[in-house]
Amino acid sequence: MENTKKKSFFNEIGFKATIDKLVNHISKLYLEDDIPWIVGYSGGKDSSACLQLMWRVLEKIKSENKTVKPLHVITTDTLVENPIVALWVNTSLDLLREKAQNKGLPIFPTLLTPNIQETFWVNLIGRGYPAPNTKFRWCTERMKIRPSDRFLRKLSAESGEAVLVVGTRKAESSNRAQSIAKFEKEATRDNFNNHVNLSNVSSFLPIKDWSNDDVWLYLLQKQSPWGINNKDLLSMYQGATSGGECPLVVDSSTPSCGDSRFGCWVCTLVKQDKSMSAMVQNDSEKSWMEPLLQLRNDLTEKDHSKRDFRRLKGFVKLMGPEGDENTVPGPYTKTSREEWLRKLLRAQKKIRINEQLPKDLKKIQLINQEELDQIRKIWFYEKLETDDVLPKICEEEAKGEYNFEPLEDSHVFDHDILKILKETCGDDEMIFEISRNLLEVERKHFKSNRRTGLFEEFEDIFRKSFYKDKTDAIEYTKQKKKIKDQISKQLPLENN
């Protein structure tokens, strides 16, 4: 947390002299070699301060008629960013690109996004992953670390090395201070740390000793050279509780941004999203965000009843060391996934008709066409849910918003046939599931000359769906464990 005895980094020689000295120092480092530098920019105060410093560095080098090597600026958009912050960042990047070009500065912004298979909604609604928590934090690696890693790997592979400029500061938290101190001991150059994941990438921390007040002093004394208004940035922070930026995440040690920081609006890694709550409560013009807050809160509720009693691959795991009558829940059920999609589309519709919604966000999309296409394929091909209800749900909840092409496979088992099958199976969900899946796998292999993998797929279906119900699954798992324990006790005797 911020030190109560606030000591300014500018006290020793004054504000202007300190900034000039720092710019001169960075300029010297920048000219030492041809290694590419990258600024990790999130649009928040710390990364904005770093980017402004680097802009001044490039201006200084150019004014001295020296060759200015390219500066890359990367921002990671998880596709579920706080919409206010996302709009700010996109506007800032557009201005940065235009102003740099006009000034003849080789600054190249890049907006990074997760692969379509790794977005939040593809995993939650598509695969049924439960909302992230501290024990299963599946989101950060997929949505934040991997996109930046891919960019850094490519650039560093081409050049041999790369330097990543980040706005990490000791005053952010005690954990951050300890982390920086640890890397300082291992560092061979001042203000440089080794990148956690990439051996040929170094992290440069130009403002690591700045206080929170130092950052704001710099931003308010020195206007953004690419035209974004730093006073508006301050207002955005003041609209949230204690606020803070969600930095460019480059490793798993970075804390969740959902508490008092601007981050993903769906973040469930904390009990309460204080920044979004404060925005809604403190500013009537941001009341349109209420549906986002409500959906995010729904995701944090206990969800065992919405999830399958089997794990993703079909096996059953009992709770507790000895196991009791409950199972460790698996992915969201088909019904739950469909309901999450409906809730998301309803929230999107509710936001769009709110008169307080900013003009630039009138066409806000909480989920895009590509994500829906990917979810549809997962439901149909991986989960064998051949009723293919996703287009129907989208048309019911967001009429005319999305368009879907026919899937590659013909729908032999359409809605009417599946309805007959379900009626035949009665209330036995397991029988319906295993029948539908076996028929779909057989249909898929029917026209193939080589039916390689058919029996393996049959085996997977039987392994997952042969239980009569949850009670039967628990009893079977207990018996299996009991036999396994008996065998393990006998093995030492047989070996003797």
Side-chain angles (χ1 to χ4, degrees):
M1 296 179 66
E2 198 72 37
N3 195 332
T4 53
K5 296 180 180 179
K6 295 182 180 179
K7 181 181 179 182
S8 173
F9 186 71
F10 306 128
N11 281 348
E12 188 174 344
I13 60 174
F15 176 79
K16 185 179 184 303
T18 301
I19 296 300
D20 289 342
K21 181 180 178 181
L22 184 55
V23 169
N24 290 334
H25 173 65
I26 299 173
S27 300
K28 184 179 178 181
L29 294 173
Y30 200 72
L31 289 169
E32 283 183 350
D33 48 49
D34 296 326
I35 296 173
W37 282 41
I38 308 102
V39 178
Y41 177 66
S42 68
K45 65 183 191 306
D46 297 335
S47 62
S48 294
C50 284
L51 186 52
Q52 283 193 198
L53 283 171
M54 292 307 302
W55 181 289
R56 286 200 59 189
V57 166
L58 266 61
E59 278 190 325
K60 173 180 168 55
I61 294 172
K62 185 183 178 185
S63 69
E64 296 171 349
N65 294 318
K66 297 176 182 177
T67 303
V68 184
K69 65 185 178 184
L71 177 70
H72 298 273
V73 179
I74 59 172
T75 298
T76 302
D77 179 5
T78 61
L79 304 182
V80 282
E81 299 292 325
N82 181 309
I84 296 290
V85 181
L87 178 61
W88 168 271
V89 171
N90 288 332
T91 302
S92 184
L93 290 179
D94 289 341
L95 289 171
L96 177 66
R97 187 179 293 106
E98 181 181 355
K99 194 73 171 183
Q101 188 174 5
N102 292 341
K103 290 285 187 179
L105 295 177
I107 299 176
F108 303 101
T110 301
L111 187 65
L112 306 173
T113 56
N115 285 341
I116 191 61
Q117 299 90 346
E118 298 180 329
T119 71
F120 186 84
W121 297 120
V122 166
N123 280 288
L124 189 138
I125 296 177
R127 295 189 173 87
Y129 284 12
N133 55 56
T134 52
K135 293 182 179 179
F136 187 35
R137 187 179 171 179
W138 54 263
C139 52
T140 307
E141 173 73 24
R142 290 173 172 81
M143 294 159 49
K144 293 190 175 183
I145 297 176
R146 290 179 188 173
S148 60
D149 268 8
R150 282 191 289 269
F151 184 93
L152 294 172
R153 285 181 192 278
K154 184 176 184 297
L155 200 61
S156 61
E158 293 171 353
S159 307
E161 292 181 65
V163 173
L164 177 65
V165 184
V166 290
T168 306
R169 297 181 298 112
K170 293 178 180 177
E172 289 180 82
S173 67
S174 56
N175 288 339
R176 184 56 63 187
Q178 291 174 8
S179 176
I180 293 176
K182 174 187 174 184
F183 281 112
E184 280 179 333
K185 293 179 181 178
E186 303 170 357
T188 56
R189 303 166 71 185
D190 287 344
N191 294 345
F192 280 83
N193 289 346
N194 293 325
H195 190 280
V196 174
N197 301 329
L198 308 175
S199 59
N200 55 347
V201 176
S202 299
S203 296
F204 177 53
L205 285 58
I207 63 169
K208 67 180 177 68
D209 294 312
W210 290 22
S211 69
N212 195 56
D213 288 345
D214 289 339
V215 177
W216 283 119
L217 177 62
Y218 176 63
L219 292 176
L220 297 177
Q221 289 286 330
K222 299 290 184 180
Q223 293 184 356
S224 166
W226 59 92
I228 203 78
N229 192 329
N230 288 336
K231 290 183 179 179
D232 289 343
L233 179 62
L234 176 62
S235 297
M236 189 164 64
Y237 273 82
Q238 289 173 334
T241 314
S242 54
E245 77 175 277
C246 188
L248 182 85
V249 178
V250 294
D251 61 75
S252 57
S253 67
T254 306
S256 160
C257 300
D259 190 4
S260 60
R261 295 170 176 261
F262 299 132
C264 302
W265 68 264
V266 293
C267 186
T268 52
L269 295 172
V270 289
K271 292 182 179 179
Q272 182 184 12
D273 185 332
K274 295 179 182 177
S275 64
M276 188 158 64
S277 297
M279 282 183 175
V280 173
Q281 294 169 9
N282 299 344
D283 190 345
S284 60
E285 293 184 358
K286 294 185 175 65
S287 61
W288 59 267
M289 297 178 69
E290 179 65 36
L292 298 181
L293 191 60
Q294 182 57 57
L295 183 53
R296 181 261 168 201
N297 291 340
D298 289 347
L299 286 167
T300 64
E301 293 179 356
K302 191 174 180 63
D303 59 4
H304 289 192
S305 62
K306 300 174 183 175
R307 293 162 61 183
D308 201 324
F309 64 87
R310 299 160 296 182
R311 306 294 282 171
L312 191 61
K313 293 186 178 180
F315 68 88
V316 174
K317 184 176 181 180
L318 302 178
M319 286 187 176
E322 298 299 325
D324 56 21
E325 296 304 312
N326 291 310
T327 65
V328 177
Y332 289 122
T333 63
K334 182 178 187 294
T335 301
S336 298
R337 286 183 275 111
E338 292 172 5
E339 185 56 30
W340 282 127
L341 178 57
R342 289 187 183 276
K343 282 187 174 185
L344 182 63
L345 295 174
R346 287 169 188 166
Q348 178 175 280
K349 182 179 180 180
K350 193 172 181 180
I351 289 171
R352 286 184 176 180
I353 62 175
N354 193 306
E355 294 181 355
Q356 298 294 342
L357 183 67
K359 181 177 65 174
D360 293 333
L361 290 173
K362 288 297 182 183
K363 294 184 179 180
I364 186 173
Q365 273 196 334
L366 301 185
I367 186 169
N368 62 44
Q369 181 73 56
E370 192 179 6
E371 289 178 291
L372 288 167
D373 288 338
Q374 186 67 24
I375 291 170
R376 185 187 182 197
K377 290 176 182 177
I378 291 171
W379 286 5
F380 189 93
Y381 295 113
E382 294 182 22
K383 296 187 177 294
L384 303 178
E385 294 166 359
T386 51
D387 51 351
D388 192 25
V389 296
L390 187 141
K392 180 183 177 183
I393 292 174
C394 290
E395 187 61 17
E396 289 174 353
E397 304 294 347
K399 189 174 180 62
E401 174 74 18
Y402 304 99
N403 297 298
F404 299 94
E405 298 294 330
L407 291 170
E408 294 177 5
D409 287 356
S410 59
H411 292 241
V412 176
F413 304 115
D414 59 18
H415 294 280
D416 292 335
I417 294 177
L418 287 174
K419 183 179 179 182
I420 294 171
L421 178 61
K422 190 165 181 62
E423 289 173 352
T424 304
C425 295
D427 295 331
D428 198 325
E429 287 293 331
M430 292 291 100
I431 288 293
F432 171 69
E433 181 181 283
I434 198 170
S435 301
R436 181 199 65 195
N437 292 355
L438 289 173
L439 286 169
E440 172 56 22
V441 168
E442 171 59 26
R443 181 200 66 77
K444 186 173 69 173
H445 286 269
F446 180 70
K447 293 182 179 180
S448 175
N449 293 327
R450 296 182 60 194
R451 307 180 80 181
T452 306
L454 172 64
F455 293 109
E456 287 79 2
E457 290 189 54
F458 279 167
E459 187 177 340
D460 288 341
I461 291 169
F462 281 118
R463 185 184 298 113
K464 184 175 181 179
S465 306
F466 80 98
Y467 311 110
K468 182 178 179 181
D469 51 27
K470 181 179 178 179
T471 303
D472 181 47
I474 291 173
E475 188 58 36
Y476 171 82
T477 304
K478 283 183 175 181
Q479 290 297 323
K480 186 177 179 181
K481 183 179 183 303
K482 184 177 180 180
I483 294 171
K484 186 177 180 180
D485 290 344
Q486 289 176 341
I487 292 174
S488 63
K489 290 178 182 178
Q490 294 172 3
L491 282 176
L493 296 175
E494 292 177 359
N495 291 336
N496 290 334

